[in-house]
């Protein structure tokens, strides 16, 4: 993340609008709170798709449009957030992210769901950075954690790519919806680790000829 991006985050954190408290832009996407009007057939299908839910070790939910809208209303977008991921150019909704924060423990956790057509396109590290910044800078969380089913190799890769540390593995900890049992991996990231990673990335970018300093 470069200096221009850092300034953008700071401005958004200090001057949120009443109806849209946070709105972020990454290189390819717009990330903003989901609204009931955003719920479409594609959004509902993610809850009902067997392969998509398998990554979270859940069975298809058989949700309706009304059930999806009710889910969005649960989030206050003050302590618990539900963001849509929209392609910048087309404004197409291609996934969502939820961020849950606990004021007492000062620990945040999240989940990300993407449309299958965007799997394997390095979307998660790009958009999850928004959640990490929000959790540490605005919400003052002291730890960002993630729990991953051991068979969800893409999620494990994404956490490691972002600098999260695997704190441990609970072996055969939960029944797996596909049969048998599954390990659960515990990942964590701390504010000082995130800041150090950002500084390291900025330094590497400055040393690399021809690298653009446009907003990430």
């Amino acid at each position: 993340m470069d200096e221009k991006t850092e300034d953008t985050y700071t401005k958004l954190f200090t001057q949120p609008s009443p109806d849209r408290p946070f709105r972020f832009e990454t290189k390819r996407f717009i990330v903003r709170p989901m609204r009931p009007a955003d719920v479409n057939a594609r959004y509902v299908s993610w809850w009902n798709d067997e392969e998509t839910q398998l990554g979270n070790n859940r069975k298809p939910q058989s949700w309706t449009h009304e059930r999806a809208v009710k889910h969005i209303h649960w989030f206050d977008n003050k302590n618990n957030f539900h963001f849509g991921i929209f392609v910048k150019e087309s404004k197409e909704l291609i996934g969502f992210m939820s961020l849950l924060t606990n004021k007492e423990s000062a620990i945040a956790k999240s989940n990300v769901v993407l449309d299958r057509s965007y799997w394997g396109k390095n979307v998660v590290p790009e958009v999850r950075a928004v959640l990490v910044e929000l959790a540490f800078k605005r919400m003052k969380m002291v730890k960002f954690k993630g729990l991953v089913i051991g068979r969800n190799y893409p999620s494990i890769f994404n956490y490691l790519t972002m600098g999260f540390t695997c704190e441990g593995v609970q072996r055969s900890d939960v029944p797996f919806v596909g049969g048998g049992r599954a390990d659960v991996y515990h990942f964590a990231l701390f504010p000082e680790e995130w800041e150090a990673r950002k500084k390291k990335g900025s330094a590497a970018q400055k040393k690399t000829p021809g690298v653009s300093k446009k907003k990430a």
Side-chain angles (χ1 to χ4, degrees):
M1 187 181 301
D2 57 32
E3 293 180 359
K4 185 176 181 181
T5 304
E6 187 75 18
D7 291 341
T8 301
Y9 277 119
T10 301
K11 183 178 180 181
L12 285 167
F13 290 154
T14 56
Q15 299 176 352
S17 63
D19 61 332
R20 185 179 296 170
F22 301 104
R23 182 182 186 280
F24 308 92
E25 290 189 14
T26 68
K27 184 177 181 180
R28 295 177 290 171
F29 307 104
I30 293 172
V31 179
R32 64 164 175 78
M34 286 284 293
R35 298 187 287 259
D38 295 320
V39 175
N40 54 23
R42 195 181 204 186
Y43 177 88
V44 176
S45 73
W46 298 328
W47 294 100
N48 300 332
D49 181 70
E50 182 177 3
E51 189 172 358
T52 299
Q53 290 298 316
L54 188 65
N56 294 320
N57 198 32
R58 300 179 67 181
K59 296 180 179 180
Q61 301 300 295
S62 300
W63 278 19
T64 62
H65 182 277
E66 291 72 21
R67 177 64 182 85
V69 170
K70 184 177 180 180
H71 178 72
I72 287 176
H73 278 303
W74 182 85
F75 296 87
D76 59 16
N77 288 315
K78 294 179 180 179
N79 299 297
N80 301 306
F81 303 83
H82 193 56
F83 291 104
I85 306 168
F86 300 85
V87 178
K88 268 188 178 181
E89 296 181 358
S90 65
K91 303 300 186 290
E92 173 191 17
L93 176 66
I94 57 95
F96 65 81
M97 304 185 295
S98 297
L99 175 67
L100 307 178
T101 65
N102 187 310
K103 289 185 176 181
E104 293 184 3
S105 65
I107 292 178
K109 59 183 180 180
S110 74
N111 73 305
V112 181
V113 170
L114 292 177
D115 189 80
R116 287 195 198 187
S117 60
Y118 281 83
W119 289 3
K121 295 186 178 181
N122 204 34
V123 175
V124 174
E126 182 176 336
V127 295
R128 183 178 273 144
V130 168
L131 301 187
V132 175
E133 286 283 321
L134 177 58
F136 289 154
K137 295 279 185 70
R138 177 71 176 185
M139 309 304 295
K140 305 301 181 183
M141 297 289 106
V142 302
K143 184 177 183 178
F144 197 115
K145 70 177 185 180
L147 302 181
V148 184
I149 296 298
R151 303 187 191 192
N152 191 342
Y153 301 115
S155 289
I156 292 174
F157 174 79
N158 287 330
Y159 276 115
L160 292 174
T161 296
M162 293 188 68
F164 281 74
T165 297
C166 181
E167 296 185 312
V169 180
Q170 292 178 296
R171 296 178 297 171
S172 297
D173 193 55
V174 294
F176 187 59
V177 295
R181 300 188 66 84
D183 300 339
V184 176
Y185 283 67
H186 291 245
F187 287 93
L189 182 70
F190 293 90
E192 59 272 20
E193 296 171 340
W194 179 244
E195 291 301 318
R197 188 174 184 83
K198 287 196 300 180
K199 289 180 180 178
K200 183 178 180 181
S202 296
Q205 187 180 60
K206 291 178 181 179
K207 293 180 180 179
T208 303
V211 174
S212 171
K213 293 185 179 181
K214 292 180 180 180
K215 182 170 65 175

